[in-house]
Amino acid sequence: MSRNTFYDYIIVGGGIAGVSAAEAIRANDKYASISILSEEPELLYSRVMLPLYVRGKIKREQLFLRAANDYERHNIALWLDERVVEINRKKREIATDRKRVLNYKKLLIATGGVPSQWKESGAQTVKMLQFQSINDADELRALLALGSKGGAVVVGSGFIGFEFIEFFVSAGFHTAVVSPDPWYFHHFFDSEGAEIIKESFIRHNVEVYNDAHIVSIAESPEGIHVKTKENLDIVADAIGAGVGLKRKVEMFEKAGLVVSRGVYTNEYLKTNDDNIYAAGDIAEYYDVVFRKRMLLGTWNNAFLQGKTAGENMTGKEIVFRNVPNYSIRHFGLYISMVGDCARSEADSVIKLRWPYTDQYRELHLREGILNGALLINRPQDRNILEQLIKKRVDVRSHVNDLQSAHFDIHQLTA
Ligand SMILES: Cc1cc2nc3c(=O)[nH]c(=O)nc-3n(C[C@H](O)[C@H](O)[C@H](O)COP(=O)(O)OP(=O)(O)OC[C@H]3O[C@@H](n4cnc5c(N)ncnc54)[C@H](O)[C@@H]3O)c2cc1C
């Protein structure tokens, strides 16, 4: 394959957003030159399946979603283990850490995010486990295979923290969760739904310390000490951090793109530069369903945004329209979040726990319109809720119905 310094399309980031964009471009433009540059040395793999790999349920090779010859077949030049360090918009040029300079006609930013670093005193010197890449998964798998009778601490109360809890418990660690929030998934769930999660933690002997503010993390011959403002001193052999995802926007800001927590795009996933698009976890895009800017961290969103951005880069004008959803299994609970689930975005909430079960549904309304839904063990409600949210259905006249375990939510389509 010839490797010129000019490409019609350059994609920064070889994750799912970048690869789906490259494939969409190829499907629409048979002859264009396309290149992907990615900082990670691996071919596209599934981050979603990493937990299964860590638990030993699948083999390492099953994580990979593309082989080298898939890129060759599509005539996509792939540069792995190479980081883009500068963008010069005037010259339509990018520079890499290998001192390579490439020119583009259209550029896609699909750089995802990196785990936020814990900044408390001592955290820099103690080995904090994180869970973002295949390397992290290798490390975790090796650690968990050893088993333990010791303790583990999980810092944070989000999705990655959830994975750590289950890993540690299943490997025999006595596990504690420490979080400044009053309950797990505090930004999403009301306290009633959170109670089901807490009950599940208790059933699995997970100690939960909420409203706990870590002031230091330090190592001693006894182990790792996690100390809080509330005078807790938890000693552990391992510590896993799941404190959010940070998007590295400095390079894009320096290039003159509009950024905030991510890179701003419009509903076509185009940035403030007509020749530059953004997709996936890095894109802070204008969402036409919720009529506001959104920043997501889900696989399906990254895949669909990559595809839409790729098509638009070839000259189409497709509005990105999608209702986000995320599901996770945890200690036998099946938790789904559909739509815009931040509690702070809702002005009223309709809650329902099915009697004597762990089934729960929480609907978030904004001015009567269904904005988001949280489900525990209610997979049958997921699709209909996605449709209702997409259609911006006003559910005010059904508030009483939606509080009854006997009302079938599918009636709302009528
Ligand atoms: C452990 C784990 C489990 C998950 N489980 C789920 C799940 O169950 N369901 C779900 O919906 N989502 C899940 N997610 C989230 C989902 O995987 C992400 O939303 C998705 O991978 C984002 O894809 P992306 O292509 O935008 O970014 P990424 O997958 O982060 O890919 C970005 C790529 O760009 C590269 N890059 C960054 N900067 C540069 C640069 N300057 N130059 C070149 N390359 C660069 C990075 O190295 C990386 O390879 C999970 C994530 C993790 C970590």
Side-chain angles (χ1 to χ4, degrees), residues 260-333:
S260 174
R261 287 186 300 144
V263 174
Y264 269 24
T265 78
N266 62 12
E267 61 272 40
Y268 301 99
L269 301 169
K270 189 158 74 179
T271 67
N272 56 307
D273 181 323
D274 279 347
N275 301 310
I276 305 183
Y277 290 69
D281 287 6
I282 186 73
E284 195 165 353
Y285 68 101
Y286 181 75
D287 189 299
V288 292
V289 178
F290 301 106
R291 295 173 199 159
K292 63 169 195 170
R293 224 160 259 294
M294 301 271 278
L295 188 68
L296 299 179
T298 67
W299 182 268
N300 197 37
N301 176 70
F303 167 75
L304 293 173
Q305 284 197 348
K307 185 169 180 296
T308 304
E311 290 181 316
N312 287 345
M313 287 164 80
T314 65
K316 294 192 175 179
E317 287 204 347
I318 302 168
V319 170
F320 181 72
R321 184 188 298 271
N322 178 46
V323 171
N325 65 67
Y326 194 107
S327 294
I328 187 165
R329 279 184 198 284
H330 194 260
F331 290 146
L333 297 180

Side-chain angles (χ1 to χ4, degrees), residues 12-18 37-40 45-51 82-85 110-113 131-133 160 163 245 248 251-252 279-282 296-303 325-328:
V12 189
I16 185 62
L37 292 115
S38 203
E39 192 174 358
E40 282 183 286
Y45 61 88
S46 170
R47 293 193 202 281
V48 172
M49 293 201 295
L50 288 176
E82 183 154 357
R83 187 160 54 93
V84 173
V85 292
T111 47
F131 189 30
Q132 170 71 10
S133 68
I160 295 297
E163 301 289 2
L245 196 70
K248 288 187 180 171
M251 170 172 63
F252 310 120
D281 287 6
I282 186 73
L296 299 179
T298 67
W299 182 268
N300 197 37
N301 176 70
F303 167 75
N325 65 67
Y326 194 107
S327 294
I328 187 165

